[in-house]
Amino acid sequence: MHQRKGAESFLCDGGVRCLASKSNKNIKMLRFKVNENTDINEVKPFLEVNYSPVFYVFYDAFITFEANLKQKGTFAVQRSHREDLECSLYLLDRLLCLLPDLFAKRWQCNALTHIFKKILHPGNILRLRREAMRLFIMWYLIVGEAKTPEMDRMFASLVPGFPFPPFPVKPELGQGGITFLEASPVIPPSSTEKTPEDLTSYLLRSIMDAMVTQVRRVEWRDKSQYSRSFSYVFDMFRAVYLPFIFPNFNSSNSLYNPNLE
């Protein structure tokens, strides 16, 4: 009861409206509230009680950042609002880590799909793409077998150059009929940004690193979910990427019963 009272005090009487009134201020306040260095026994109950308004603040902050990008241009936004984007993605990280049982039910799946299409866009700066990949892998292993076909397509498109189709373009109804809207980059790279010599190798290593490091950060109620979630994401990596990394790889081979012919 004490934790719930504290959470309500933080959210104030206006609830979602109070939190959403000033996007920049609210996202920074929430980042401080759910900081990774704060005792998890305080943060997790807070998010369990207030998951809906907290997600609203995260989503509102991202949409606000995107609107500023369109109005002011990339350079101006990078200077004055980039911290807001980092705060919003940090808040998403904490939500995924501490509320996996909620996201496993595909809660807010459409909203997250919309955001991941934008932050995973190959036209973004590499730092954002790598962070987006880490967050997406966490979400993907949490949802597991309940994933959508769109999530599978995003997973298969994490590394450009592999023989998979790009993100499908969803039709959107407009006054003149159907118009098609493609996902656009959030922060395009500057002309001076340096990229790895072998970008494909770099991104593949990023995926494998995220699969190993993020699975233990997720706070499941049922601890058996750790092995289940890792097995799922590794099996998907093996099915999607390994055949093209190792074209002669035979999945029927076994270290314990090798086929030497």
Side-chain angles (χ1 to χ4, degrees), residues 46-56 95 99 102 107:
F46 170 79
L47 291 178
E48 287 175 339
V49 171
N50 301 289
Y51 59 88
S52 186
V54 170
F55 186 89
Y56 184 93
L95 285 166
L99 301 178
L102 182 64
W107 182 68

Side-chain angles (χ1 to χ4, degrees), residues 131-152:
E131 177 67 2
M133 289 172 66
R134 182 186 69 81
L135 291 168
F136 176 80
I137 291 294
M138 194 188 310
W139 182 45
Y140 194 58
L141 65 86
I142 286 171
V143 178
E145 295 294 345
K147 63 6 183 359
T148 64
E150 190 77 356
M151 292 173 69
D152 280 341

Side-chain angles (χ1 to χ4, degrees), residues 27-174:
I27 198 71
K28 291 173 183 176
M29 289 173 63
L30 275 173
R31 176 167 185 167
F32 176 78
K33 179 74 176 179
V34 302
N35 191 282
E36 202 163 6
N37 295 324
T38 305
D39 187 350
I40 191 174
N41 294 320
E42 296 181 15
V43 177
K44 190 173 175 66
F46 170 79
L47 291 178
E48 287 175 339
V49 171
N50 301 289
Y51 59 88
S52 186
V54 170
F55 186 89
Y56 184 93
V57 171
F58 149 71
Y59 192 79
D60 180 68
F62 183 87
I63 297 302
T64 300
F65 174 86
E66 190 176 23
N68 286 331
L69 180 69
K70 292 179 180 178
Q71 292 177 3
K72 301 179 181 180
T74 302
F75 180 70
V77 168
Q78 280 184 302
R79 292 175 56 190
S80 60
H81 297 285
R82 191 164 176 171
E83 184 181 347
D84 298 335
L85 176 63
E86 293 175 355
C87 285
S88 65
L89 295 183
Y90 181 83
L91 187 56
L92 175 59
D93 173 270
R94 301 305 289 149
L95 285 166
L96 290 171
C97 284
L98 299 179
L99 301 178
D101 297 280
L102 182 64
F103 287 100
K105 300 174 184 177
R106 285 177 30 180
W107 182 68
Q108 296 292 354
C109 185
N110 289 338
L112 287 177
T113 298
H114 170 76
I115 286 179
F116 275 117
K117 280 186 177 182
K118 291 181 175 294
I119 61 178
L120 286 171
H121 195 286
N124 285 318
I125 59 173
L126 193 57
R127 178 183 173 188
L128 176 58
R129 290 175 64 186
R130 182 180 170 89
E131 177 67 2
M133 289 172 66
R134 182 186 69 81
L135 291 168
F136 176 80
I137 291 294
M138 194 188 310
W139 182 45
Y140 194 58
L141 65 86
I142 286 171
V143 178
E145 295 294 345
K147 63 6 183 359
T148 64
E150 190 77 356
M151 292 173 69
D152 280 341
R153 283 189 283 269
M154 283 193 282
F155 180 73
S157 303
L158 289 177
V159 181
F162 279 79
F164 285 89
F167 298 144
V169 179
K170 285 190 174 182
E172 185 163 307
L173 292 175

Side-chain angles (χ1 to χ4, degrees), residues 188-260:
S190 67
S191 58
T192 59
E193 182 181 64
K194 296 181 180 180
T195 58
E197 186 174 338
D198 188 341
L199 182 59
T200 298
S201 175
Y202 175 84
L203 294 176
L204 282 171
R205 289 198 304 270
S206 298
I207 293 177
M208 291 186 285
D209 178 73
M211 289 193 303
V212 173
T213 59
Q214 300 309 298
V215 68
R216 297 303 302 178
R217 297 183 64 238
V218 179
E219 295 288 335
W220 293 102
R221 290 195 184 100
D222 179 2
K223 302 307 179 185
S224 68
Q225 291 282 23
Y226 287 111
S227 58
R228 190 279 310 166
S229 58
F230 178 76
S231 295
Y232 166 75
V233 74
F234 180 74
D235 286 345
M236 290 303 298
F237 179 82
R238 184 171 60 180
V240 172
Y241 288 100
L242 280 190
F244 301 98
I245 300 173
F246 304 106
N248 298 322
F249 179 77
N250 186 346
S251 60
S252 64
N253 283 343
S254 169
L255 291 174
Y256 305 101
N257 186 24
N259 181 1
L260 301 178

